[in-house]
Amino acid sequence: MGLMDQLRWWLYEPSVRGLDVDDEKFLEVHAAILREKTLLRSAFETFYRDMGTLCDRFLASPGTEIELGTGAGFFKSMRPGLVTSDIRKGLNIDLVLDAQNMALPEASVRCIYAINVFHHLPDPDLFFAELCRVVRPGGGCILIEPHGGLGSALLHRYLHSDEIFDAAAPNWKTANIRGPLSGANQALAHIVFERDLNQFNARYGDRIEITYRGYCLNALRYLCSGGLNFRQLLPSASEPVLVGLESMGRSLARYWSLHQIIVMRRR
């Protein structure tokens, strides 16, 4: 076992060690971790508030709001009309849904939300085709994905052993995806919406417009909480200080944020 593997093993939450990330038990373990970690819940509350605010700002169309890949999340507690979904069944999952083949009526959806889901899709073109089919004109999709900045890229590249961060991948498809959480390329949003933006616009620009791209101001809380898989590094009482530091660094978020947020609107 190399030095990085030893460090990663030590940092893992004890309840996560040895578990297959594609095992359904992972949902239960993550749900327990999310309940217990104040810093992590605070970071997710920022994700959820930002997504709801951006939906109300940019997506005027009526219709259903659906969260893809809900997992152990609690977005519905903050946005009660939301329909939760995942690729597999779970305690708080309203609908089993495949993002690349959605069992939804045409033009029925106002907004599709997804946190760290997009990079787990083997073929993003299938997802975009489904967006064009199920989302109403004026509705859209809000993605939160790993940011492609230097610090974020390094962290995402070396922290996880079951995913990669390869910004040089030659195309959008990821052949190594083996299950719901394994084999993904965390750089996919960077590739599609930054490196290959002209290609995206050429394929979908007549139907989908990118109306907003920004950075999530919760990286210190997310990192210090250890996320869903690693040990918490600072006490929960540090939350107000971390929130203050994140707010002070707003203008430089592109350099330190771990996640980007992308809003797409159906023309």
Side-chain angles (χ1 to χ4, degrees):
M1 183 182 290
L3 181 60
M4 190 62 198
D5 291 329
Q6 293 180 37
L7 179 60
R8 187 185 297 114
W9 182 260
W10 180 82
L11 287 172
Y12 272 139
E13 282 279 355
S15 58
V16 168
R17 286 178 182 165
L19 279 182
D20 183 340
V21 295
D22 293 324
D23 193 317
E24 291 189 4
K25 293 179 182 178
F26 231 63
L27 286 179
E28 298 175 17
V29 172
H30 279 173
I33 290 171
L34 193 52
R35 284 195 302 269
E36 295 166 2
K37 287 186 173 182
T38 299
L39 288 182
L40 185 58
R41 286 188 65 85
S42 177
F44 268 83
E45 286 169 0
T46 296
F47 283 150
Y48 297 147
R49 278 197 302 270
D50 287 352
M51 290 195 301
T53 298
L54 290 170
C55 176
D56 294 338
R57 176 181 171 188
F58 289 107
L59 308 178
S61 174
T64 304
E65 295 185 13
I66 294 177
E67 182 185 21
L68 297 176
T70 297
F74 57 95
F75 192 12
K76 190 168 185 174
S77 68
M78 297 176 64
R79 204 162 177 93
L82 184 74
V83 176
T84 60
S85 78
D86 208 293
I87 193 68
R88 50 192 176 181
K89 295 180 180 179
L91 183 62
N92 297 313
I93 305 302
D94 298 323
L95 189 63
V96 175
L97 200 62
D98 181 348
Q100 299 183 150
N101 184 21
M102 301 187 213
L104 298 171
E106 293 185 11
S108 62
V109 176
R110 177 194 186 193
C111 185
I112 289 177
Y113 305 96
I115 300 176
N116 287 330
V117 171
F118 179 70
H119 65 270
H120 287 283
L121 303 179
D123 188 347
D125 282 311
L126 296 178
F127 172 63
F128 292 133
E130 283 294 85
L131 280 187
C132 294
R133 185 182 67 83
V134 306
V135 173
R136 298 171 61 92
C141 175
I142 301 178
L143 302 177
I144 290 179
E145 284 289 310
H147 171 38
L150 179 61
S152 175
L154 286 173
L155 185 67
H156 285 107
R157 180 176 290 118
Y158 293 110
L159 196 59
H160 296 281
S161 60
D162 42 59
E163 298 178 85
I164 62 171
F165 192 101
D166 181 10
N171 55 57
W172 299 359
K173 292 184 180 180
T174 307
N176 293 330
I177 290 178
R178 302 178 299 278
L181 294 177
S182 62
N185 182 3
Q186 296 176 94
L188 184 60
H190 167 79
I191 290 170
V192 172
F193 300 111
E194 190 166 340
R195 190 194 76 182
D196 295 348
L197 181 59
N198 290 338
Q199 183 178 337
F200 173 83
N201 286 331
R203 293 187 192 181
Y204 302 105
D206 61 330
R207 291 166 289 169
I208 302 173
E209 61 177 329
I210 298 175
T211 58
Y212 177 88
R213 286 187 64 195
Y215 306 101
C216 300
L217 302 181
N218 61 357
L220 295 180
R221 281 169 288 159
Y222 196 93
L223 181 62
C224 293
S225 75
L228 288 166
N229 295 312
F230 298 95
R231 297 174 184 267
Q232 186 161 308
L233 303 177
L234 289 179
S236 298
S238 65
E239 180 191 1
V241 175
L242 296 177
V243 170
L245 291 173
E246 290 163 346
S247 181
M248 289 170 57
R250 178 183 298 270
S251 62
L252 299 174
R254 63 178 299 180
Y255 299 107
W256 58 265
S257 178
L258 292 179
H259 294 91
Q260 61 177 307
I261 187 164
I262 302 155
V263 180
M264 294 178 281
R265 184 165 57 204
R266 181 78 166 88
R267 293 186 187 276

